[in-house]
Amino acid sequence: MSALDEGHFNAELENGVKLNRLDLGIQDQPETVAIEDAVKVLLQGLGEDINREGLKKTPLRVAKALREGSKGYKQRVKEIVQGALFPEVGLDDAVGQAGGAGGLVIVRDLDLFSYCESCLLPFQVKCQIGYVPSGQRVVGLSKLSRVADVFAKRLQDPQRLADEICSALHHGVMPAGVAVVLQCLHIQFPNIESLFLDSNHQGWVKAVVHSGSGVFENELADVWGDFLSLLKFRGIKLDRTQMKDSVQQCWCPSRYSSSAKVIGPPNRGMVTAVTSILSSLGEDPLRKELVGTPSRFVKWLMNFQSPNLEMKLNGVACGRMDPLKQNGEEQIHTELCLSFWSQCEHHLLPFYGVVHIGYYCAEETTPLSKSLLQSIVHFYGFKLQVQERLTRQIAETVSSLLGGDVMVVVEANHTCMISRGIEKFGSSTATIAVLGRFSTDPAARAMFLKNIPNPASGGS
Amino acid sequence: MSALDEGHFNAELENGVKLNRLDLGIQDQPETVAIEDAVKVLLQGLGEDINREGLKKTPLRVAKALREGSKGYKQRVKEIVQGALFPEVGLDDAVGQAGGAGGLVIVRDLDLFSYCESCLLPFQVKCQIGYVPSGQRVVGLSKLSRVADVFAKRLQDPQRLADEICSALHHGVMPAGVAVVLQCLHIQFPNIESLFLDSNHQGWVKAVVHSGSGVFENELADVWGDFLSLLKFRGIKLDRTQMKDSVQQCWCPSRYSSSAKVIGPPNRGMVTAVTSILSSLGEDPLRKELVGTPSRFVKWLMNFQSPNLEMKLNGVACGRMDPLKQNGEEQIHTELCLSFWSQCEHHLLPFYGVVHIGYYCAEETTPLSKSLLQSIVHFYGFKLQVQERLTRQIAETVSSLLGGDVMVVVEANHTCMISRGIEKFGSSTATIAVLGRFSTDPAARAMFLKNIPNPASGGS
């Protein structure tokens, strides 16, 4: 992590409650050290060697990311908004409403991320904010984004996040009303037991929530209609007549997952470690929404203890096929868009996407079945991983079944690219491994690569 | 600006060259104060009252944004990359290439912004980076983004930016090769003289540049083909056979704009002020690419000196129309997607977008001409503005010509939402003003709003 991140953090301290620690870098602060110790317990619980190269700095990385992701606890909305309220003359009330005096102001498509209070995984948020100014003053547009971020950078639930943003803006800006609509996306890993059965697994849980104050308090108010009209192309399905009745049960997939059977009850030491992380972030682990969070997180994390899955794969990956002859009769077979789910070993955060596999295979030979290839992908995915290694391991395994010429492309989205300081929403990664003739024949590579479909037309 | 920004900045100092200033907040540092003074000179040169409410903190905001946007001068690539190089075993060289040993690694669609060295306006960058690992080590994926940002946060030209990112990664990571492709977008304001003639003005100058090292040094190398294959859906048009010959002339529209005639030679005091800003950012104003920058920036800024345009509008905005009768024969007329260009008075940065105007008009009356409405929009756009006020002023002016019922929606993108700390790429804003019956009749508002087209299908 760069020098910048530390400073970013010091900033909050400077303006927050812990002035006496200004002289300590983030990595020397007791909260950071406590989280690091807890992460070491988790890694050991996974059966990992905490001294292997890729993991050595993982506890510190995780601690910094979690503290960065929960910095909203220390931020004050008043400080953000004050100094950004500008007088704007409006219109006579009898005449109409316009900028500064009643005309609706909207900021659309703010990308945020937050941490799910139920399972500690980050979730993505598209945030839409509207407000109707009053008192002949408007707030600087960027402050709407900053205030939303204060509440996103906490452990959250979508509805509470919307309510808190709405309420804070209402009290900070004192307008005629505030409306907030959030579209939230929570990653949903497949159950490890049903991994090879459920090929239509939906990778995401979606939630659309809203909150309104003042003139937006009544969901049937016409001003909601104006607001939603200007969001209409954002894929937001909010029927105003139903808005009031929407029942919110907890959206987090960890709440209704039934994957605990095989893995058994969570390791108590790991649960205690996660509980201590919650305290270090400034949360109360006894808050009712957080009571089950440590065991849910541990249960989820244990999916990446590799021995669990290794046994499964042994049952699936049947016999080794005969090596194919290297002659003119061979042709390139492809299996595109096999989904994978994995866990970045540098940040203990999910990365996920698709794997494309190409290989040469003689015409008379039966190609490898899709389910076998999918098994190989899952086998190497459900571990603490890095994308480069995942790509190589899949290529080597497929090659060991075929004896030769294999090309693998992995396209992925990394949660760690959005949920830490760099916040590069929309970025993606691709890695390539080439074995045998694919490494020497650019035409073969090009033929395979041109079959890879547009990622924008599929996936999330 | 929130407390956070200041801390963000202190961070760099802490790890940069100016340790002795750790105790000074950014706003007390002499560079910031010097930029503030220069911005005051610019505002006065525009004929503005630097003590009016909306402008009082503008010098400080501009100074902070410019220093934040040029913080790359103080960052060291070595510090970012070191500690994020991970050993990954690769394959036997005879076998092929894969993660850690020759397999291509790509990070796509990184959103960055930079400042144009020719005119000081920010420009947007989509950054695509590929590298081929060697020495059995890979670099953490997020570091590619961080390193790119170090060079983006300087005064730049697209080709130099690509070359610097490429070279820094090559020396920092020591891979077999690095490839960088940048798609850059520079805002291009219309010439104020031809504002009412050129209705097809292209609002953007685009540039696609690339840079390669090691195995990517030769643009005809097959590895470029692999890299470009995995970018194929990104709208990148790079023909490898032509890549070598691409001649780069300066892309900045300020270089080939011919709008100086009317405005005359730039005010010397303002030019000196901009020169001092360059020095305060740590640049050498005598660097050959920067020599003309201060006068180009001043020339551009003077577009927003309102008296210039006021005279023009007087010639265009002909007679006042008779007020329409408020009876059943009236219908809603709309003029959608009138483009506007403006300058945010809080940050001295462009905002731009489209204006939609709806009004009631009796059947027998000729509706207002598109060119008249466009003139009104430009008249209020070419000033130091805020979007809320712009919306109200357009509504009031149209109403004064029609005597009544007007609705105006302004949809905008604000450069200040991407080119400062918050970096919310893809966000947009919308403001509404409603006069007369539009303020009391939700059905009329809804009818007008449903005609507004999808912004994604037009514009940039």
Side-chain angles (χ1 to χ4, degrees), chain A residues 254-295:
Chain A
S254 73
R255 292 276 187 163
Y256 47 84
S257 142
S258 58
S259 72
K261 278 171 278 172
V262 176
I263 295 169
N267 173 318
R268 291 197 68 79
M270 293 172 79
V271 173
T272 306
V274 180
T275 306
S276 89
I277 289 176
L278 294 179
S279 302
S280 300
L281 296 178
E283 265 287 3
D284 171 12
L286 297 177
R287 171 155 84 77
K288 77 174 193 300
E289 295 85 356
L290 294 176
V291 168
T293 301
S295 35

Side-chain angles (χ1 to χ4, degrees), chain A residues 84-102:
Chain A
L85 291 169
F86 302 99
E88 278 302 320
V89 295
L91 301 162
D92 182 331
D93 268 353
V95 180
Q97 292 103 37

Side-chain angles (χ1 to χ4, degrees), chain B residues 197-313:
Chain B
L197 305 171
D198 177 13
S199 61
N200 292 316
H201 172 71
Q202 293 297 311
W204 299 95
V205 180
K206 297 180 189 184
V208 179
V209 295
H210 69 278
S211 188
S213 69
V215 296
F216 286 98
E217 185 123 23
N218 174 5
E219 280 97 340
L220 297 174
D222 295 310
V223 68
W224 266 109
D226 298 348
F227 179 52
L228 293 175
S229 284
L230 285 165
L231 304 182
K232 65 186 164 187
F233 302 112
R234 266 67 186 176
I236 294 170
K237 284 179 195 142
L238 264 188
D239 181 340
R240 282 202 292 147
T241 59
Q242 297 171 344
M243 275 164 64
K244 218 163 186 168
D245 310 320
S246 66
V247 179
Q248 287 295 330
Q249 57 181 49
C250 180
W251 75 324
C252 175
S254 73
R255 292 275 189 165
Y256 46 85
S257 144
S258 58
S259 73
K261 279 171 276 170
V262 176
I263 295 169
N267 173 316
R268 291 197 68 79
M270 293 171 80
V271 172
T272 306
V274 180
T275 307
S276 90
I277 290 176
L278 294 179
S279 302
S280 300
L281 296 178
E283 265 288 3
D284 172 10
L286 297 176
R287 172 154 83 79
K288 78 175 190 300
E289 295 85 356
L290 293 176
V291 168
T293 301
S295 33
R296 281 188 291 268
F297 182 75
V298 170
K299 201 172 86 179
W300 178 80
L301 200 60
M302 291 307 280
N303 282 322
F304 304 97
Q305 189 188 25
S306 44
N308 265 312
L309 197 55
E310 200 139 21
M311 289 182 290
K312 287 183 178 297
L313 188 72

Side-chain angles (χ1 to χ4, degrees), chain A residues 91 97 111 226 424 445, chain B residues 111 226 396 424 428 434 445:
Chain A
L91 301 162
Q97 292 103 37
D111 284 312
D226 299 347
K424 292 300 180 193
R445 293 204 300 274
Chain B
D111 284 313
D226 298 348
E396 286 178 335
K424 292 301 180 191
S428 65
V434 282
R445 293 204 300 273

Side-chain angles (χ1 to χ4, degrees), chain B residues 384-444:
Chain B
L384 298 194
Q385 267 289 12
V386 299
Q387 185 177 338
E388 294 89 338
R389 191 190 309 146
L390 173 68
T391 313
R392 175 178 60 77
Q393 289 175 335
I394 294 170
E396 286 178 335
T397 303
V398 173
S399 171
S400 75
L401 297 173
L402 291 165
D405 310 312
V406 177
M407 178 158 182
V408 174
V409 173
V410 176
E411 298 190 280
N413 292 290
H414 286 252
T415 318
C416 63
M417 292 291 276
I418 61 158
S419 62
R420 299 180 306 125
I422 60 168
E423 297 196 21
K424 292 301 180 191
F425 294 90
S427 76
S428 65
T429 55
T431 43
I432 302 181
V434 282
L435 302 185
R437 80 173 78 166
F438 280 105
S439 61
T440 52
D441 182 356

